[in-house]
């Protein structure tokens, strides 16, 4: 089952604009990770935010985490055509067997128009 | 650092055949995970290894699926008697877990399986 739900499912913006994607989840987590996936390719790790952190930055990326609302957002500033991809949030919670498996949402498909 | 590698990248097979995929994790990582991703969905957990021990399997992993990680290094995922429903991208990830704390999972490029 998929715990995370990204919103919106698809987003189309002009190059240079900012893109904001949201993620909601259901159960308590250890950390939350955002990944990017270009069409038909593997997942590229973008950023990890731990449950005791509220905000994290990495280059043009800004991630926030609100554990009281069980939600996270990913902001990409000054978008580029190369940012066109699907973006997934993944929560890392112990399933009870110590696995810390990642549970992914369905992703947000971002299109950046040159 | 060569990252996580997977072979083959693509596999086309006929229904009923057996297939085997290989994953080479980042060398110092003790955890290795297998996920499956179908079109339009996020990856779904299949199984994981702590060193050479397989510690958890998802309900998605039917008895036609078997995974191994001999000597705690590379891992193989075998699917016997493939079915069309097995067509998907199979992703491998590795991470370093110490003293119960978790860290980033790094993914390989995946093996895309097509069952005709």
């Amino acid at each position: 089952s998929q715990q995370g739900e990204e919103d919106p499912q698809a987003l189309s913006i002009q190059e240079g604009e900012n893109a904001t994607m949201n993620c909601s989840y259901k159960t308590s987590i250890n950390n939350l990770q955002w990944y990017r996936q270009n069409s038909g390719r593997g997942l590229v790790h973008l950023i990890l935010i731990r449950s005791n952190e509220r905000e994290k930055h990495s280059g043009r990326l800004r991630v926030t985490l609100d554990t009281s609302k069980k939600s996270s957002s990913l902001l990409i500033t000054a978008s580029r055509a190369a940012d066109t991809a699907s973006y997934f949030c993944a929560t890392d919670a112990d399933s009870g067997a110590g696995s810390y498996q990642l549970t992914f949402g369905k992703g947000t498909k971002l299109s950046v128009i040159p | 650092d060569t990252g996580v590698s997977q072979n083959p990248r693509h596999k086309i097979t006929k229904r009923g055949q057996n297939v085997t995929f290989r994953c080479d994790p980042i060398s110092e990582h003790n955890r290795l995970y297998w996920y499956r991703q179908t079109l339009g969905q996020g990856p779904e957990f299949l199984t994981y290894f702590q060193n050479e021990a397989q510690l958890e399997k998802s309900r998605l992993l039917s008895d036609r699926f078997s995974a191994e990680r001999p000597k705690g290094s590379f891992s193989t995922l075998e699917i016997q008697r493939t079915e069309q429903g097995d067509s998907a991208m199979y992703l491998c990830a590795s991470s370093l877990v110490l003293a119960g704390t978790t860290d980033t999972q790094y993914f390989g490029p995946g093996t895309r399986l097509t069952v005709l």
Side-chain angles (χ1 to χ4, degrees):
Chain A
S1 64
Q2 300 192 300
Q3 167 166 236
E5 289 289 336
E6 287 90 347
D7 171 52
Q9 291 186 0
L11 178 61
S12 184
I13 59 173
Q14 295 288 330
E15 200 166 31
E17 294 180 339
N18 296 342
T20 299
M21 288 159 268
N22 302 297
C23 168
S24 60
Y25 58 92
K26 297 174 185 172
T27 63
S28 297
I29 62 172
N30 296 305
N31 62 55
L32 185 145
Q33 303 181 48
W34 283 91
Y35 288 85
R36 184 186 74 220
Q37 186 176 39
N38 292 85
S39 181
R41 309 288 290 276
L43 291 157
V44 174
H45 182 260
L46 295 177
I47 199 164
L48 178 152
I49 186 165
R50 300 198 183 278
S51 59
N52 61 354
E53 296 176 313
R54 292 296 166 258
E55 188 171 313
K56 206 159 181 182
H57 297 254
S58 176
R60 294 184 296 112
L61 306 180
R62 174 178 168 253
V63 168
T64 62
L65 179 64
D66 187 336
T67 52
S68 66
K69 294 181 180 178
K70 293 187 169 58
S71 67
S72 173
S73 68
L74 170 67
L75 169 68
I76 304 174
T77 60
S79 63
R80 305 167 181 167
D83 295 329
T84 295
S86 291
Y87 291 82
F88 294 91
C89 71
T91 53
D92 174 339
D94 185 359
S95 64
S99 70
Y100 301 109
Q101 60 182 268
L102 292 178
T103 304
F104 289 82
K106 293 185 179 181
T108 291
K109 195 165 185 177
L110 174 66
S111 298
V112 181
I113 302 165
Chain B
D1 176 14
T2 57
V4 179
S5 62
Q6 292 186 247
N7 288 289
R9 296 290 305 277
H10 302 273
K11 179 71 178 179
I12 299 173
T13 191
K14 292 182 179 178
R15 189 175 52 188
Q17 297 294 305
N18 299 345
V19 293
T20 301
F21 311 140
R22 176 177 170 129
C23 170
D24 287 89
I26 293 172
S27 59
E28 65 268 24
H29 285 182
N30 54 1
R31 287 281 181 104
L32 188 148
Y33 300 81
W34 285 98
Y35 293 84
R36 183 176 73 183
Q37 185 180 24
T38 53
L39 202 61
Q41 303 293 316
E44 294 179 289
F45 169 78
L46 291 178
T47 188
Y48 91 101
F49 292 83
Q50 172 82 19
N51 299 313
E52 68 275 9
Q54 185 175 18
L55 297 183
E56 187 177 355
K57 298 181 194 178
S58 158
R59 288 189 304 274
L60 294 174
L61 213 67
S62 77
D63 57 6
R64 295 184 298 104
F65 288 69
S66 62
E68 295 181 344
R69 193 184 182 197
K71 302 177 184 178
S73 56
F74 71 92
S75 176
T76 57
L77 177 68
E78 181 183 15
I79 309 174
Q80 296 182 326
R81 304 180 305 281
T82 52
E83 302 172 354
Q84 288 184 325
D86 297 331
S87 294
M89 174 82 91
Y90 289 84
L91 295 162
C92 174
S94 70
S95 70
L96 181 63
V97 175
L98 298 172
T101 61
T102 62
D103 208 334
T104 301
Q105 290 189 25
Y106 294 92
F107 282 78
T111 294
R112 182 169 294 284
L113 173 66
T114 302
V115 182
L116 301 176

